[in-house]
Amino acid sequence: MANHHFLRRLALTGAALLSVTATLPQQSARADPGYTDRPSHGRLSATIRYTEYGIPHILAKDYPNLGFGVGWAQATDQVCELANGFVTVQGERSRHFGADGQRDEAMSAASTNLASDLYFRGVRDEGSVEKLLAQPAPAGLSRQAKDLMRGWAAGYNAWLRQNRITDPACRGADWVRPVTELDVARRAYALAVLGGQGRVVDGITAAQPPGASAQAARTAGADDQARAAREFLSADNTDRGSNAVAFSGSTTANGRGLLLGNPHYPWHGGRRFWQSQTTIPGELNVAGGTLLGFPVIQVGHNARVAWSLTVATGVSFSLYELKLAPSDPTSYLVDGKAEQMTRRTVTVPVRGEDGRMTEVKSTQWWTRYGPVITSLGTLALPWTSSSAYAFNDPNAANLRMVDTVLGYGKARSVDELLDAVDRTQGMPWVNTIAADAEGHSVFTQSQVVPRITDDVTGRCSTPLGQQIYPATGLAVLDGSRGECDLGKDPGAVQPGIFGPSAMPTLKNAPYAVNSNNSAWLANLDRPITGYPRVFGDVNTPRSLRTRGGVADVKAMAERGGLTVDDLLKQQFANRVTAGDLAADDAARACSELPGGTATGSDGKAVEVSQACQVLAGWDRTANTDSKGALLFDRFWRRMIVAVPAAQLWRVPFSKDDPARTPNTLNTGLPAFAQSLADAVGELRASGIALDALLGDHQVVVRNGKRIPVPGGTESLGVWNKTEPVWDDRSGGYTEVAMGTSYLQAVGFDGSRCPVARTLLSFSQSPNPNSPHYSDQTELFSAERTLRGRFCEKDILTSPGLRVEYVYER
């Protein structure tokens, strides 16, 4: 009980914090308790100080207790989303919601609950996560990471026991249950494989050997195969993205680093960000955002370093083409010797529409390379009597992201942050961009990717691989030859991946920026080249968001004297890159249409002369008060679907001018007039004026209140990305699927208190009964941010300060 009183006093007085820091242990000395599937019942506690907008500042004496506080605080805001995710990773969705009931899109790309359960039950039955937890660090997790997971489960469980659920999404639901530290680890595992096995769950669970009379399948042409692979790997087909930029001291007003982090993530579901500060005095003090169910802050800052993450272009998996043994399609040959596939039979309980329970059994087939699959999106990978394909995902052996971001939180400089990622090598599918108080900056694509070198592809690519690897970075290797094994890279913590020396990295450039294209143009004047194709491409057209972003930050760096305020101006400039490139051309061509009319896709003539004037007068932004942004948005979406990228612009791409090419809209195509006519007709049919304010028709509705939302979709090239959902019935955008999420603009002034402005666009809680259901969403609408409260003096002077001492009873 002495520690309880100690931390309570510590929470309430800044002087106490200074006087007792030195007496606290540097790390927990608790012995490893092992991992079980029984809920934890330890005696853990934490102090949570809530400041404005429901942001918790969690204070604990060691890692188990810190994990306890994080689990408790996340449950307070997000219990239903968390519980739903645990049902998923336990393989229990079909039991509770039926095989075809409501899916959980946060944990995988499974198309049905049954496919999801077959996969995650397979992971559970195989003990995949337990095996990773049994490995010693650095290949496995540190004691501190395990303590955080154990504490998180205990905190979540304690909250369930001591509180009543008010969120109607799960109030009274029998699927809200206590969890174990293994469940927390399984959730981290699902996050690690999200870009690999998680994307091909349907292909894994549906793969079955052919019958005895099976014939060789007809394959698509080479161009079609390459196109299907590109579509599967396209960033447009994911619900993850981000921008981040780090400025070195040479560009800033005080010679210290600046960081703007702007992850683009779902606004709903189990992959939302959540904001907090976590503190173990004398050991760890970090503020930022983390994905639900994760026990460590993933993007954020401490007193000396700020960092953010962007989704990387590295292809985090590869394929092996198997040569099957004669007369046995479940055996494959390696160097002429047959190896039997591993048969995994998985049983899933399924609730029928009448409420009765049945069981579904299914078999999955695994090889030394990974599971057999039969498709990647629309790319068919047929399992015939003579060949099959196996999926190699090195992140299926990686739980290390917990330790990587824990190391980021402890780092005192950019160099120490790089040391952390080099030591742990846990980033599964993201880049890291960081700046520090001494004026240093870095971009690094330090992610887990298969060790696909030019030598390997030269020796081992199959005909399919020779077609798609150069275009996509997806390798298809010959699984019948042992020499095509990926081997061990010097410095790598696990076999088959690249070590730290191979990672594309840029240090101390005036700026380093990434908007989800490859590492090539992290800086226009210092392009990164020479990395294997599996990491990404070079000398190819960039997305409009990348082009607009890199041009903007280059201009900022050249102007110099930058401050946190300049970062916020960039975040909320809402410049529509597509508008800058195409709106003048569109308005001019519109005004030249005969009779001021254009023919729509239905063959009817539409009067468009007013649209010409609106496009000409539009300010080229996606601000909520912009007139013409909605019209251009609806036109542009149609135009890019109707016209292949190679025909959209009159001036082609030049690798010598990648930020400004291609350009000049090809308005002579029939699709131009048709797209314009259809956009005008759609808005008029919905009763929306062509010059309507964007904020009148791009909104979210929270407890009956319409909240205007700034920003624009990916194809518009807006830094402040917003992916709104169009309502065909009423017209207009009435929800946001994903986009700007946890925003941070961080600088340093020489004190121990960083200069930070933050925002969580969708607010802390999805519970409509929470006071923090939409409070930050209204700030986002107004393009306002929160002052960071990192130091004790700032926390304790918050006008909304509320202190909770939470513990197991």
Side-chain angles (χ1 to χ4, degrees):
M1 187 61 70
N3 279 335
H4 295 174
H5 295 305
F6 166 74
L7 282 174
R8 183 177 286 126
R9 292 196 305 272
L10 184 58
L12 294 174
T13 64
L17 178 68
L18 297 175
S19 66
V20 302
T21 293
T23 71
L24 290 170
Q26 289 301 301
Q27 61 184 19
S28 172
R30 187 181 298 274
D32 187 343
Y35 281 79
T36 72
D37 264 325
R38 285 180 286 185
S40 169
H41 296 294
R43 294 282 183 177
L44 299 173
S45 64
T47 301
I48 306 175
R49 291 88 57 82
Y50 286 96
T51 55
E52 304 100 304
Y53 296 88
I55 299 172
H57 304 256
I58 303 161
L59 182 66
K61 67 179 181 179
D62 57 21
Y63 287 98
N65 286 281
L66 183 63
F68 178 89
V70 174
W72 178 290
Q74 283 195 16
T76 300
D77 291 324
Q78 299 277 351
V79 63
C80 294
E81 296 295 356
L82 290 165
N84 188 52
F86 286 121
V87 171
T88 301
V89 299
Q90 291 165 351
E92 297 276 305
R93 298 199 66 78
S94 298
R95 177 195 295 273
H96 295 288
F97 310 120
D100 298 307
Q102 182 178 358
R103 295 185 295 132
D104 179 6
E105 299 178 6
M107 297 290 106
S108 80
S111 62
T112 66
N113 287 336
L114 181 59
S116 174
D117 290 343
L118 288 170
Y119 172 74
F120 283 109
R121 283 223 164 208
V123 170
R124 184 174 175 177
D125 293 349
E126 185 65 16
S128 301
V129 176
E130 291 90 331
K131 293 173 184 176
L132 296 180
L133 290 170
Q135 294 183 15
L141 291 182
S142 68
R143 175 69 268 157
Q144 295 168 344
K146 292 177 182 179
D147 281 346
L148 283 165
M149 288 181 168
R150 178 168 59 86
W152 195 102
Y156 176 85
N157 294 341
W159 189 92
L160 288 181
R161 287 193 298 270
Q162 298 178 37
N163 291 275
R164 181 174 59 85
I165 295 174
T166 63
D167 190 340
C170 67
R171 184 171 51 211
D174 63 356
W175 46 267
V176 181
R177 298 176 177 180
V179 300
T180 70
E181 58 265 40
L182 260 179
D183 292 321
V184 181
R186 287 171 181 144
R187 194 168 185 132
Y189 180 86
L191 185 62
V193 301
L194 192 64
Q197 288 184 12
R199 293 187 70 181
V200 295
V201 166
D202 287 354
I204 293 172
T205 59
Q208 295 299 319
S213 61
Q215 302 294 316
R218 183 178 180 181
T219 57
D223 291 343
D224 290 337
Q225 290 175 321
R227 182 174 60 253
R230 282 195 300 269
E231 288 175 353
F232 181 78
L233 295 168
S234 171
D236 294 339
N237 291 334
T238 71
D239 59 357
R240 295 165 286 134
S242 299
N243 305 306
V245 59
F247 290 99
S248 294
S250 62
T251 71
T252 67
N254 63 4
R256 302 180 184 277
L258 287 172
L259 177 97
L260 174 60
N262 174 218
H264 302 149
Y265 269 71
W267 276 37
H268 307 275
R271 221 178 321 129
R272 284 169 54 124
F273 269 99
W274 177 81
Q275 185 176 357
S276 68
Q277 180 177 2
T278 54
T279 305
I280 302 173
E283 170 69 9
L284 179 74
N285 193 12
V286 58
T290 189
L291 298 181
L292 296 182
F294 207 79
V296 189
I297 286 173
Q298 291 163 300
V299 294
H301 68 87
N302 58 30
R304 304 283 300 172
V305 183
W307 74 93
S308 195
L309 309 175
T310 61
V311 175
T313 57
V315 181
S316 61
F317 54 88
S318 59
L319 296 173
Y320 280 90
E321 187 170 343
L322 307 176
K323 182 179 180 181
L324 301 182
S327 303
D328 184 2
T330 62
S331 293
Y332 58 102
L333 302 178
V334 180
D335 295 332
K337 296 181 180 180
E339 292 188 12
Q340 188 69 39
M341 294 179 186
T342 300
R343 180 184 183 123
R344 298 183 183 176
T345 300
V346 180
T347 302
V348 171
V350 177
R351 180 182 299 277
E353 293 183 3
D354 59 2
R356 296 181 181 179
M357 300 299 297
T358 59
E359 288 187 344
V360 173
K361 288 189 177 183
S362 182
T363 301
Q364 300 166 25
W365 299 90
W366 291 67
T367 70
R368 62 158 65 183
Y369 307 113
V372 177
I373 65 168
T374 52
S375 65
L376 284 179
T378 60
L379 176 62
L381 301 170
W383 187 348
T384 72
S385 59
S386 60
S387 67
Y389 293 87
F391 188 87
N392 168 46
D393 181 1
N395 280 303
N398 173 28
L399 279 178
R400 299 183 301 274
M401 187 179 186
V402 182
D403 274 314
T404 300
V405 291
L406 183 59
Y408 286 3
K410 294 180 181 181
R412 294 169 295 179
S413 66
V414 158
D415 283 342
E416 288 191 9
L417 180 142
L418 283 173
D419 288 343
V421 71
D422 288 352
R423 183 178 65 255
T424 58
Q425 299 168 36
M427 289 306 195
W429 32 261
V430 289
N431 309 301
T432 301
I433 297 91
D436 68 23
E438 296 303 313
H440 304 298
S441 68
V442 70
F443 161 90
T444 183
Q445 190 181 347
S446 295
Q447 66 164 126
V448 174
V449 292
R451 186 175 171 269
I452 307 295
T453 63
D454 292 340
D455 174 65
V456 167
T457 56
R459 289 184 293 107
C460 295
S461 283
T462 68
L464 176 60
Q466 292 168 8
Q467 290 294 331
I468 68 176
Y469 180 74
T472 66
L474 172 59
V476 186
L477 305 179
D478 186 350
S480 70
R481 295 156 51 199
E483 66 173 329
C484 297
D485 182 87
L486 298 183
K488 182 76 157 58
D489 209 36
V493 300
Q494 75 179 68
I497 68 171
F498 284 102
S501 64
M503 303 299 165
T505 300
L506 178 65
K507 290 183 64 177
N508 295 326
Y511 67 88
V513 63
N514 184 263
S515 296
N516 307 127
N517 280 137
S518 72
W520 176 41
L521 293 185
N523 184 290
L524 277 172
D525 301 313
R526 292 174 59 178
I528 307 173
T529 59
Y531 45 82
R533 178 64 182 85
V534 69
F535 282 98
D537 56 10
V538 298
N539 298 329
T540 58
R542 306 289 90 176
S543 72
L544 291 182
R545 182 158 54 88
T546 289
R547 290 172 61 184
V550 73
D552 287 347
V553 301
K554 175 181 169 65
M556 292 169 68
E558 290 174 345
R559 187 171 69 248
L562 301 177
T563 67
V564 166
D565 286 343
D566 293 300
L567 302 183
L568 295 176
K569 290 176 184 177
Q570 166 62 19
Q571 176 61 40
F572 293 118
N574 292 319
R575 179 167 80 90
V576 179
T577 307
D580 284 342
L581 289 170
D584 284 345
D585 295 332
R588 187 180 307 110
C590 175
S591 67
E592 295 171 356
L593 289 170
T597 64
T599 302
S601 57
D602 59 1
K604 296 180 180 179
V606 178
E607 198 282 323
V608 297
S609 57
Q610 184 190 3
C612 309
Q613 299 171 11
V614 172
L615 290 174
W618 173 42
D619 64 4
R620 308 325 189 232
T621 75
N623 292 321
T624 55
D625 62 355
S626 175
K627 296 182 178 181
L630 185 63
L631 171 63
F632 184 83
D633 170 284
R634 300 307 292 171
F635 154 73
W636 190 247
R637 288 173 185 260
R638 289 173 166 82
M639 186 74 178
I640 62 172
V641 170
V643 180
Q647 301 175 25
L648 188 62
W649 306 101
R650 289 176 175 165
V651 176
F653 168 75
S654 169
K655 65 182 179 60
D656 297 320
D657 194 7
R660 294 187 295 184
T661 60
N663 60 53
T664 310
L665 185 65
N666 191 352
T667 56
L669 297 172
F672 166 74
Q674 181 175 296
S675 297
L676 182 62
D678 286 347
V680 170
E682 175 187 53
L683 293 181
R684 285 177 175 158
S686 298
I688 299 174
L690 301 186
D691 62 350
L693 299 179
L694 178 64
D696 286 345
H697 302 284
Q698 183 168 283
V699 302
V700 294
V701 181
R702 299 292 182 262
N703 286 334
K705 181 177 181 180
R706 291 169 61 91
I707 303 174
V709 176
T713 186
E714 176 67 29
S715 63
L716 293 175
V718 184
W719 178 284
N720 188 23
K721 179 175 174 176
T722 297
E723 293 295 346
V725 180
W726 185 263
D727 188 334
D728 286 322
R729 294 169 299 177
S730 61
Y733 294 112
T734 57
E735 188 50 82
V736 172
M738 62 89 69
T740 291
S741 56
Y742 175 69
L743 166 68
Q744 58 175 346
V746 184
F748 305 92
D749 62 5
S751 73
R752 295 179 62 84
C753 305
V755 180
R757 304 292 298 185
T758 70
L759 183 71
L760 188 64
S761 61
F762 37 69
S763 305
Q764 285 283 76
S765 178
N767 180 1
N769 294 312
S770 168
H772 309 299
Y773 174 54
S774 60
D775 50 357
Q776 289 199 62
T777 309
E778 298 203 35
L779 290 181
F780 180 60
S781 175
E783 299 179 1
R784 294 169 51 205
T785 56
L786 293 173
R787 168 193 169 196
R789 294 187 179 275
F790 183 81
C791 285
E792 284 297 298
K793 63 181 178 63
D794 297 314
I795 297 170
L796 299 177
T797 55
S798 166
L801 182 64
R802 176 170 56 88
V803 181
E804 289 188 9
Y805 181 69
V806 299
Y807 57 95
E808 288 191 308
R809 294 177 180 172

